[in-house]
Amino acid sequence: MTDKPLLEVRNLRVEFPTREATLVAVDDISFHINAGEVLGVVGESGAGKSMTGAAIIGLIEPPGHIAGGEIIFDGQRIDNLSNTEIRKIRGRHIGAIFQDPLTSLNPLHTVGRQIIDTIITHLPLSQKQARTRALELLKEVGIPSAEERIDHYPHQFSGGMRQRVVIALALCADPKLIIADEPTTALDVSIQAQIINLLKGLCSQYDTAIMLVTHDMGVIAETADRVAVMYAGRIGEIGPVADIIQQPKLPYTVGLMGSIPAIGEDVERLTQIDGSMPRLNALPSGCRFHPRCPSAFAYCAIERPELIEAGNSQVACWLYDKEKGQGKSPAHGLQKTHTKAVSKTTTQPANTLLQVEGLKQYFDVSPPLLTRLLERTGRKYVHAVDGLDFTINRGETFGLVGESGCGKSTVARAIVGLYKATDGTICFDYVDDGGLDDKQRMQMIFQDPHASLNPRWRVREIVAEAIPAGTGSTKQKITARVGELLAQVGLAAEDARKYPHEFSGGQRQRISIARALAGEPEFLVCDEPTSALDVSVQAQILNLMVDLQRRMGLTYLFISHDLAVVNHISTKVGVMYLGRLVEWADTDTLFSNPQHPYTRMLLDSIPDLTNIGAKRSQVGGEVPSPINPPSGCTFHPRCPFATDRCKSEIPIASSVSGSSVACHAIEEKRLPDWKTS
Amino acid sequence: MLSFVLSRILQSFIVMIGVSLVAFSLFTYVGDPISNLVGIQTSDAKREKLRESLGLNDPMPVQFLRFIERASQFEFGISYQQKRKVGDIIAERLPATLELSFVSAMLALLIGIPAGIYTALHRKSWFSHFMLSASLVGVSLPTFLIGIMLIFVFAVNFNILPSFGRGEVVKLGFWSTGFLTASGLKALIMPSITLALFQMTLIMRLVRSEMLEVLRADYIKFARARGLSDRMVNFSYALMNTLVPVITITGLQLGSIIAFAIITETVFQWPGLGLMFIQAINEVDIPVMSTYLLLIAMFFVIINLIVDLLYYFVDPRLRVKQGD
């Protein structure tokens, strides 16, 4: 483009003075965004992505401040404006969208009032005109029956709908640039697809530029025109989306792309970048990535690389420097190992370890007796799990996927005995365990590594607690065992003396795994073990789990909302929707030939890295409340193939080309074949 | 809505029954009512007759029901010491305490809330630092000490304010008010400040910490990112959300203003319920004590009921059912 860029950031530096030292969160970065362009900013947590966005709209939390450089928006320098002046630009010319739609709206005002307030602040409109515009906006972002909904409070909207309202709020003064900070991270994949399509459509319609900050490469691939990859406060690589995704130049980008599990790809181990993002108070010298970089050479630790032209993109890496990087091949050792996974198809005879039959878990959420009497309503139950059958064989990994609220975690908790099942049986190793005495043989790994370790205990105590007592264990023996366990998960024996807060998220999850292994279990229930982690760390943990399984013959129940992760690690997959399994099959069968419309919908809604700029197929609707699940097949309100039978009769699972599927349409052979791609 | 109110009223009712039980058991377990009524020379036969005629030999539940029945008709018996109806004594003392509490509550709210907002919005200003340090004094010094110090400075040294009593009062029907005379208003100043100080600092600190919490919320950040004016963000967004939790605590505190008036009333010899209660304890005047207990419980219950209803109006999440 020849015309002047809409936004130009030159040598921006953001500092946080602390008592010990001044931390530099964003260090000397420069980039620009053209009018109508989508710039994706990716990087793992702590890379300084959000801080850059906050700096542009002048909303850095004190004591953080812009310590150098300039930000030029539409020909005007905006980083040194007074509070009153920048406020005229915020919302008017630069809009913002934040991550969590549940907390982005004021709970005490109606959405209409929040939109109208914002419109009146920026545009010379009367209350009445503003309301008309608010209505138009709500219709535009796809809120059904907007006339009625405009007077509703935020809590009356679902998550996806609230994010639509947030988009309406960001767009209400017709800004030229929108800074979208992880706009879809808190949403389910199917909703994510809706929101991304909406945002993209609206912005191209109004020629609005977007700075899309996210850690999700898939979202970037289908949305962005150009991508900036950030690492530890620096831009490592910036260029057109196709180049960055298909031919990444920076070793970090290569590793990042390789660590993302992809569907339709069968690798045993993911590419692993060892270590994690450095903390701001301990930044390495020279290139900040060099301690983790497999291609690093001596000079990398000495001088900081600046962005230089390399093909269509710019890269900050000495490998591409004409003098320093001569003869070095970039990023060897970070390619994916394309060996076929052996564990995927178990040849050994099936040996059932866990059998779940007719599992039901209801939670009583009834209003108080008096309310029930006055309003003549009965008791209310959340049908979290509503009749679930599956078996897991020894040595297998059973993946359970579904959107939030479908009952995945409840299943996990019921199996390990944290909940007493309302109905149904859970047989572990052929023993129906009403109470399960044999808890040692079954362990659980939780989602949040920050919340699942006692912050006041040393790692030694955390791990040692789970070592079974009474086996003549002396202090030395326990210490040795703790060291052994830590070594198994890739930590050092000396780490036993530290407290959990001294570790990064990934290391903490390793501690959780060590604790789970302490009792020498056969079966691990993993409830979203990697969803709180960055992709490069997720890859480390997934690789570790695969290694442990091979070495110790473990059986996993792996619960996740991420289909790609489940595809990577599981041998069998079950798809859950509103407390029921709608389809289960071998991983290969399920992902190559999905049967159930819901499975197909989920697969469709995954952003495809190989297909840049492609539109995802739209999926309507959201998961209904499990308090009043729809009658018949619970998926019928969102299913394009639903008939009257689906509305009244609960489908029973039957075997269709290798999968077990519960769907009337498949039974009646009304469903077209899955597109063969 | 209806069920919400009804269930709250039902709960209040249960609380009142519980308190009645305690008040009732005072009669039975704190001293012998007969020995309090008659002299030492009364014969045992006479005592027994009196016991019978007062119904003290009836089974406990019967006596308790009788107590509740009388209390619900505002019949609280006769004071052992003053030989007057307890209801009359209370009616005579109540205006003094209510007026003092009302002024104190107003002081606490009208100074505490704005000070809390100011210190939250201007965290770094010298005035905020001053208010916070001063509030420490308010929290840590005992009420009676503050009262005595005020008396020492303004009544003894400067002699500008009366050190005790209500001053002149005007009778409006059964209600005697100090609001209408200069001496009555002057007499109110020191006791009401003494009584309000603790609550004022508590409310200020509560509002401040809640508001700081709310100012960190995502919707505040998003509101700023939309370019809304500081005034709108601070008052229409942040303050409203701050008030939701503040209302609950404040309601409870107002109840304790009435209850804790005892100390202030003693220091300033304020002729209210608190002083009456202290005297009753000294004289083991059980009907007065038990009635005071019931009355304070009722104040708490009513204030809580009002707070719950306020909550209901401020927070739409309680009022409007979650939509589809």
Side-chain angles (χ1 to χ4, degrees):
Chain A
M1 284 192 204
T2 47
D3 51 345
K4 273 181 105 180
L6 177 69
L7 178 88
E8 201 173 356
V9 174
R10 283 192 207 138
N11 306 98
L12 178 71
R13 184 180 168 92
V14 178
E15 287 181 355
F16 273 81
T18 65
R19 227 171 289 166
E20 287 87 31
T22 298
L23 303 181
V24 183
V26 174
D27 191 3
D28 198 12
I29 65 168
S30 307
F31 63 92
H32 69 272
I33 301 176
N34 294 321
E37 185 190 40
V38 181
L39 175 78
V41 179
V42 281
E44 297 174 283
S45 42
K49 321 181 287 286
S50 300
M51 202 58 72
T52 311
I56 293 169
I57 42 175
L59 278 179
I60 299 175
E61 300 278 324
H65 60 97
I66 297 177
E70 45 191 42
I71 300 168
I72 293 149
F73 176 76
D74 218 5
Q76 185 194 1
R77 193 165 163 194
I78 58 168
D79 58 295
N80 54 0
L81 290 183
S82 75
N83 201 10
T84 342
E85 286 169 314
I86 185 88
R87 207 186 298 129
K88 291 192 185 117
I89 290 174
R90 268 187 224 149
R92 177 71 187 91
H93 300 297
I94 306 179
I97 298 171
F98 294 119
Q99 176 172 355
D100 193 350
L102 299 185
T103 56
S104 286
L105 298 170
N106 182 351
L108 300 187
H109 290 171
T110 60
V111 297
R113 178 161 168 205
Q114 298 186 49
I115 299 177
I116 292 166
D117 280 350
T118 315
I119 293 174
I120 288 177
T121 309
H122 295 299
L123 303 175
L125 295 179
S126 71
Q127 189 82 18
K128 216 171 164 189
Q129 288 166 317
R131 194 181 160 87
T132 320
R133 173 145 175 83
L135 266 175
E136 279 167 22
L137 277 163
L138 285 179
K139 279 181 201 153
E140 232 168 273
V141 296
I143 304 264
S145 51
E147 283 86 358
E148 188 191 330
R149 299 291 263 169
I150 191 169
D151 292 318
H152 282 188
Y153 290 93
H155 71 273
Q156 295 170 282
F157 291 83
S158 65
M161 285 296 154
R162 273 191 237 189
Q163 197 64 312
R164 286 170 191 268
V165 173
V166 168
I167 291 176
L169 276 164
L171 285 173
C172 67
D174 211 353
K176 290 179 195 143
L177 171 69
I178 286 187
I179 294 173
D181 190 352
E182 307 267 10
T184 56
T185 309
L187 304 170
D188 278 318
V189 267
S190 66
I191 316 291
Q192 205 176 7
Q194 296 170 15
I195 296 295
I196 284 291
N197 279 340
L198 173 71
L199 194 59
K200 239 176 107 175
L202 285 176
C203 288
S204 65
Q205 187 183 331
Y206 291 108
D207 202 29
T208 311
I210 309 178
M211 175 174 157
L212 182 65
V213 174
T214 178
H215 67 276
D216 189 336
M217 277 290 188
V219 169
I220 292 284
E222 62 180 342
T223 316
D225 300 315
R226 283 189 308 129
V227 184
V229 181
M230 284 191 77
Y231 186 81
R234 303 269 304 154
I235 290 182
E237 183 170 8
I238 183 165
V241 63
D243 289 74
I244 303 278
I245 288 185
Q246 279 152 6
Q247 293 136 12
K249 303 215 163 46
L250 188 74
Y252 174 63
T253 322
V254 175
L256 201 61
M257 297 305 305
S259 62
I260 303 168
I263 286 172
E265 205 181 42
D266 212 357
V267 291
E268 192 178 74
R269 285 175 66 88
L270 296 164
T271 312
Q272 186 166 328
I273 316 175
D274 289 321
S276 55
M277 177 95 63
R279 292 187 187 182
L280 287 179
N281 53 9
L283 289 176
S285 64
C287 171
R288 284 167 187 182
F289 185 60
H290 85 261
R292 299 174 72 191
C293 181
S295 321
F297 52 98
Y299 195 71
C300 293
I302 298 168
E303 201 186 325
R304 191 176 81 182
E306 299 298 330
L307 284 173
I308 47 171
E309 300 288 334
N312 293 326
S313 354
Q314 289 177 299
V315 187
C317 179
W318 290 119
L319 290 173
Y320 295 90
D321 188 89
K322 288 208 176 60
E323 293 162 32
K324 309 279 185 328
Q326 255 174 2
K328 302 277 192 309
S329 85
H332 53 78
L334 272 180
Q335 260 70 28
K336 286 191 186 183
T337 35
H338 275 272
T339 44
K340 176 85 179 144
V342 260
S343 59
K344 284 268 167 93
T345 40
T346 26
T347 42
Q348 51 185 295
N351 180 350
T352 309
L353 182 67
L354 184 86
Q355 184 164 20
V356 175
E357 257 174 44
L359 179 67
K360 283 187 183 168
Q361 187 76 56
Y362 295 170
F363 296 104
D364 193 344
V365 289
S366 314
L369 179 71
L370 196 67
T371 316
R372 291 209 302 275
L373 288 177
L374 281 168
E375 291 173 5
R376 288 164 209 280
T377 50
R379 286 190 165 272
K380 275 188 194 160
Y381 295 96
V382 172
H383 301 244
V385 179
D386 205 1
L388 204 65
D389 307 276
F390 64 89
T391 53
I392 303 179
N393 293 334
R394 225 174 267 279
E396 259 185 3
T397 302
F398 185 80
L400 201 54
V401 279
E403 292 174 283
S404 49
C406 74
K408 309 183 292 286
S409 297
T410 312
V411 173
R413 281 154 190 247
I415 287 174
V416 296
L418 287 175
Y419 293 143
K420 198 174 171 341
T422 314
D423 195 16
T425 52
I426 300 167
C427 285
F428 183 69
D429 207 7
Y430 301 109
V431 183
D432 177 3
D433 56 87
L436 192 73
D437 306 318
D438 240 359
K439 288 230 174 65
Q440 293 291 353
R441 298 172 62 191
M442 198 190 269
Q443 288 292 334
M444 188 158 175
I445 299 168
F446 296 89
Q447 172 173 4
D448 187 350
H450 296 263
S452 55
L453 301 175
N454 187 341
R456 286 164 202 282
W457 280 13
R458 290 176 198 275
V459 170
R460 192 197 113 86
E461 285 147 6
I462 291 171
V463 177
E465 188 201 27
I467 297 174
T471 45
S473 38
T474 60
K475 213 173 170 187
Q476 282 89 354
K477 267 191 191 166
I478 290 179
T479 310
R481 176 86 180 111
V482 169
E484 195 183 308
L485 285 164
L486 289 178
Q488 270 175 351
V489 297
L491 294 171
E494 298 84 68
D495 287 335
R497 280 198 299 273
K498 294 187 191 162
Y499 285 99
H501 72 261
E502 296 174 66
F503 296 91
S504 67
Q507 287 170 321
R508 272 187 241 209
Q509 204 58 306
R510 285 171 193 267
I511 298 171
S512 295
I513 295 175
R515 174 176 62 182
L517 293 176
E520 293 175 18
E522 294 158 58
F523 182 54
L524 282 185
V525 176
C526 317
D527 188 2
E528 304 257 12
T530 61
S531 55
L533 306 172
D534 280 319
V535 273
S536 74
V537 182
Q538 166 173 290
Q540 293 168 13
I541 297 292
L542 291 177
N543 285 344
L544 174 70
M545 288 182 64
V546 171
D547 292 345
L548 288 173
Q549 182 170 43
R550 182 119 22 83
R551 219 181 312 145
M552 310 171 82
L554 293 170
T555 307
Y556 292 137
L557 169 63
F558 192 96
I559 292 171
S560 178
H561 66 278
D562 189 331
L563 282 148
V565 169
V566 166
N567 171 49
H568 170 74
I569 197 156
S570 313
T571 44
K572 266 191 192 166
V573 179
V575 181
M576 258 187 105
Y577 187 76
L578 274 187
R580 294 191 192 136
L581 271 183
V582 294
E583 178 170 3
W584 63 104
D586 286 341
T587 307
D588 294 341
T589 320
L590 190 103
F591 283 93
S592 60
N593 190 15
Q595 297 295 324
H596 197 278
Y598 179 62
T599 316
R600 294 180 175 190
M601 185 198 98
L602 281 181
L603 278 172
D604 264 343
S605 60
I606 298 174
D608 192 350
L609 277 180
T610 53
N611 211 349
I612 288 153
K615 253 193 148 184
R616 295 190 218 180
S617 39
Q618 280 270 37
V619 183
E622 295 182 25
V623 184
S625 152
I627 295 176
N628 285 315
S631 60
C633 172
T634 46
F635 186 58
H636 81 257
R638 299 172 78 185
C639 182
F641 307 102
T643 57
D644 283 343
R645 188 177 167 209
C646 299
K647 285 176 195 159
S648 56
E649 195 183 320
I650 299 172
I652 295 161
S654 59
S655 185
V656 182
S657 52
S659 311
S660 294
V661 195
C663 178
H664 292 311
I666 291 170
E667 214 179 284
E668 295 162 12
K669 305 214 184 321
R670 284 192 280 117
L671 220 57
D673 278 338
W674 172 250
K675 56 184 180 227
T676 39
S677 52
Chain B
M1 173 71 193
L2 184 66
S3 72
F4 177 79
V5 176
L6 275 181
S7 69
R8 282 292 182 275
I9 290 178
L10 192 74
Q11 284 165 8
S12 314
F13 198 69
I14 294 169
V15 170
M16 285 313 293
I17 297 276
V19 175
S20 311
L21 194 63
V22 175
F24 165 72
S25 52
L26 276 179
F27 282 98
T28 326
Y29 299 111
V30 181
D32 179 13
I34 298 296
S35 351
N36 281 317
L37 281 174
V38 296
I40 305 168
Q41 291 95 343
T42 318
S43 69
D44 282 356
K46 230 175 170 181
R47 281 172 187 247
E48 195 48 47
K49 219 174 130 192
L50 198 57
R51 201 177 284 277
E52 187 62 44
S53 71
L54 285 175
L56 293 175
N57 288 337
D58 291 343
M60 274 304 154
V62 176
Q63 289 193 43
F64 181 50
L65 281 180
R66 198 185 296 137
F67 174 81
I68 289 188
E69 190 193 329
R70 286 211 201 119
S72 59
Q73 293 160 0
F74 300 102
E75 282 281 341
F76 299 105
I78 290 167
S79 159
Y80 293 163
Q81 296 303 324
Q82 303 188 28
K83 313 288 182 212
R84 293 166 59 205
K85 276 190 166 177
V86 177
D88 291 349
I89 302 176
I90 299 263
E92 186 185 299
R93 297 287 194 124
L94 192 63
T97 295
L98 284 187
E99 283 187 357
L100 176 62
S101 306
F102 175 77
V103 174
S104 301
M106 283 300 129
L107 275 179
L109 289 175
L110 295 181
I111 298 176
I113 293 179
I117 297 170
Y118 182 87
T119 48
L121 293 181
H122 307 274
R123 256 184 306 170
K124 293 271 159 68
S125 82
W126 66 267
F127 187 67
S128 300
H129 287 296
F130 168 75
M131 286 301 281
L132 283 176
S133 328
S135 75
L136 265 185
V137 177
V139 174
S140 51
L141 282 188
T143 318
F144 70 90
L145 192 67
I146 293 171
I148 290 171
M149 273 162 39
L150 285 178
I151 291 175
F152 179 72
V153 175
F154 294 101
V156 180
N157 278 358
F158 294 111
N159 201 14
I160 44 175
L161 292 172
S163 65
F164 69 92
R166 283 185 83 187
E168 279 173 59
V169 291
V170 178
K171 276 261 178 199
L172 296 173
F174 74 96
W175 191 276
S176 65
T177 176
F179 285 154
L180 297 176
T181 61
S183 75
L185 287 174
K186 260 172 109 175
L188 255 173
I189 295 174
M190 286 202 298
S192 59
I193 288 177
T194 310
L195 188 55
L197 207 59
F198 180 78
Q199 315 298 341
M200 193 196 300
T201 50
L202 200 94
I203 289 172
M204 181 188 115
R205 286 179 163 256
L206 185 76
V207 169
R208 182 185 121 93
S209 64
E210 282 296 335
M211 188 131 178
L212 285 177
E213 190 74 38
V214 170
L215 283 174
R216 276 195 293 273
D218 281 354
Y219 53 83
I220 298 295
K221 196 170 128 196
F222 187 46
R224 288 197 200 287
R226 296 205 301 275
L228 295 185
S229 67
D230 281 349
R231 229 181 64 195
M232 187 175 270
V233 172
N234 289 341
F235 293 99
S236 176
Y237 277 54
L239 184 60
M240 282 279 279
N241 279 287
T242 305
L243 287 182
V244 176
V246 167
I247 285 175
T248 328
I249 309 283
T250 310
L252 283 177
Q253 290 305 319
L254 293 189
S256 60
I257 281 191
I258 298 176
F260 287 142
I262 294 176
I263 298 171
T264 311
E265 288 187 5
T266 314
V267 171
F268 289 96
Q269 288 297 300
W270 189 264
L273 290 175
L275 199 60
M276 171 200 80
F277 181 61
I278 292 286
Q279 282 160 359
I281 288 178
N282 282 334
E283 295 157 356
V284 204
D285 200 344
I286 290 170
V288 176
M289 282 158 69
S290 89
T291 312
Y292 179 78
L293 197 65
L294 279 177
L295 195 69
I296 294 296
M298 203 176 74
F299 279 132
F300 264 95
V301 162
I302 290 173
I303 288 172
N304 265 316
L305 199 64
I306 295 171
V307 163
D308 281 339
L309 294 180
L310 266 181
Y311 218 79
Y312 201 80
F313 283 106
V314 172
D315 195 339
R317 283 166 289 191
L318 290 175
R319 198 167 12 141
V320 189
K321 281 236 175 70
Q322 193 138 356
D324 38 337

